[in-house]
Amino acid sequence: MSPLTYTDAVGGALERLRGVGFEHGPRFVNHAPMAAEALAYMGYADDVPRWVDRNLRTHTYHEVPDARWAIDPADPDDWRSALGDFSRVADWTAHFERELDLAPWPEVLARWWPRLLPGMSGVLTHGVIRTAHAVRAISRAGEENLPYRWELAQGLGYWAARYASHTHGIRPGDEYPGTGEGDEYPRTGDGGGDPRTGGGEQGPRTGDADSAATALDGLVAEYAGIYASAPQRHPVPLIHSITGPAAVRLVVGHLPAAQRRPSYLVARDVSASMLDWFSTTPVTPHPVGLSGVPDLGEVFATAVAIGDEHAIKLAEVAVRHQALAPDPRLAAAAHAANQGLARFRR
């Protein structure tokens, strides 16, 4: 049998996963489409069918709630009232399938991204992460590939249904303002400008994709360093302070210029919130050593061997960002996650 291509592996996985529930257990998230795409992207396309088999065998996913009423995109009162209502998730995914049938995916993304962005923190950013993996898939495979359009609709729909704003004073569906004087991009190499995480000085305000991407690269590396050194009760929750902004980084180049800076600002604020939620002690940034950390190829192979979706997704982020903006904290975080998850799964 010939080796699977990225498109074959991801498309096949999405066909099999269509209709599988969004969650399992006490509101644990279905990571299967995201992890399958990450495996294929990393050159492990032949491993995708087996990984999906195992995932479906070991997880009992909840049934998707029945569709109730159509979302009216022309009536802000109607669609705003449905944000954050998981009982409407089938309404949301059907809505996005209709929109993606009628307009190119970048147009649909640009229309709804600023509406959903303030709700990024819902279910630990899994809505934006699933959307981002779908964006990468559809940008590689083309929107004429129906399973990829379905998956983007699933990502956007789940994000809308689990919308949860961490920002006071923003109504559901309001666009994130991002205009405060203290909300500049950090200088290159800084993270989010949060004193708890070591970023302080502010840089010039720009709206171009390169500035947003650079700021997000710094944010991902910063929280990778925190993850690698911060005491944690469980190895999973704080991972999302890294994979959340990494998801925004995947999408930012596809967004209109005016949406890029607010995307960085929301990602920065959400990661800072997760640090408050999940770190057990105040974090004092310090250099992360590489003693005992394997090279990133080995780190990713270990994540595949462990089989945990969080390990796979974080290791893929580490490899991707090491190519974009090399930083030793990336490998250290992925290695720490592998060690923690391997212990936890015993």
Side-chain angles (χ1 to χ4, degrees):
M1 185 172 64
S2 300
L4 290 175
T5 66
Y6 170 92
T7 303
D8 290 339
V10 178
L14 295 180
E15 288 273 17
R16 293 180 64 192
L17 294 167
R18 179 165 168 77
V20 173
F22 291 94
E23 296 174 349
H24 63 97
R27 217 164 101 169
F28 295 140
V29 173
N30 177 1
H31 293 77
M34 303 175 259
E37 193 278 333
L39 283 167
Y41 178 79
M42 288 295 299
Y44 285 74
D46 286 344
D47 291 86
V48 170
R50 289 189 295 275
W51 190 91
V52 172
D53 283 342
R54 182 177 181 278
N55 182 270
L56 292 176
R57 194 170 58 248
T58 57
H59 294 70
T60 302
Y61 291 107
H62 304 320
E63 294 291 328
V64 177
D66 291 334
R68 299 169 68 188
W69 307 287
I71 303 288
D72 184 355
D75 182 354
D77 289 337
D78 182 74
W79 61 259
R80 285 176 191 273
S81 68
L83 287 173
D85 183 350
F86 188 68
S87 71
R88 304 289 305 277
V89 66
D91 299 334
W92 276 114
T93 56
H95 165 73
F96 285 116
E97 286 184 10
R98 287 192 298 272
E99 289 218 1
L100 289 164
D101 284 341
L102 296 172
W105 70 264
E107 182 180 317
V108 176
L109 183 71
R111 179 160 54 246
W112 283 93
W113 182 270
R115 297 172 178 175
L116 298 179
L117 186 62
M120 176 179 164
S121 63
V123 284
L124 298 186
T125 73
H126 284 103
V128 72
I129 296 173
R130 185 164 179 175
T131 296
H133 281 277
V135 164
R136 181 165 65 183
I138 200 170
S139 67
R140 288 168 63 94
E143 62 187 321
E144 67 281 356
N145 193 311
L146 190 56
Y148 291 76
R149 289 213 310 275
W150 286 339
E151 178 56 21
L152 183 54
Q154 296 282 297
L156 290 167
Y158 186 53
W159 188 0
R162 283 298 190 200
Y163 180 107
S165 177
H166 69 287
T167 307
H168 297 296
I170 294 185
R171 295 180 306 152
D174 281 355
E175 296 184 14
Y176 193 88
T179 56
E181 286 301 315
D183 286 338
E184 314 296 350
Y185 288 124
R187 294 186 188 278
T188 302
D190 285 344
D194 190 314
R196 291 166 301 173
T197 58
E201 296 183 353
Q202 304 298 327
R205 176 183 299 181
T206 67
D208 62 275
D210 287 345
S211 294
T214 298
L216 286 161
D217 290 341
L219 191 63
V220 169
E222 181 180 4
Y223 278 88
I226 291 168
Y227 182 87
S229 57
Q232 300 169 59
R233 295 186 182 91
H234 191 284
V236 168
L238 197 58
I239 284 176
H240 303 98
S241 69
I242 309 168
T243 53
V248 176
R249 175 64 168 88
L250 267 181
V251 177
V252 74
H254 298 284
L255 299 175
Q259 296 180 14
R260 294 166 186 163
R261 181 168 165 273
S263 298
Y264 159 71
L265 295 175
V266 173
R268 181 198 66 181
D269 292 351
V270 169
S271 289
S273 294
M274 283 195 278
L275 182 58
D276 284 341
W277 300 338
F278 300 123
S279 61
T280 58
T281 59
V283 174
T284 302
H286 57 80
V288 173
L290 288 177
S291 177
V293 177
D295 70 81
L296 270 170
E298 186 178 340
V299 170
F300 189 83
T302 299
V304 176
I306 293 169
D308 183 271
E309 49 264 49
H310 294 94
I312 290 168
K313 288 163 56 190
L314 180 59
E316 184 273 319
V317 166
V319 173
R320 169 163 40 101
H321 276 261
Q322 183 67 16
L324 293 167
D327 193 298
R329 294 174 290 185
L330 300 164
H335 179 58
N338 283 350
Q339 291 182 311
L341 287 162
R343 288 192 298 268
F344 185 77
R345 290 166 69 90
R346 284 174 189 161

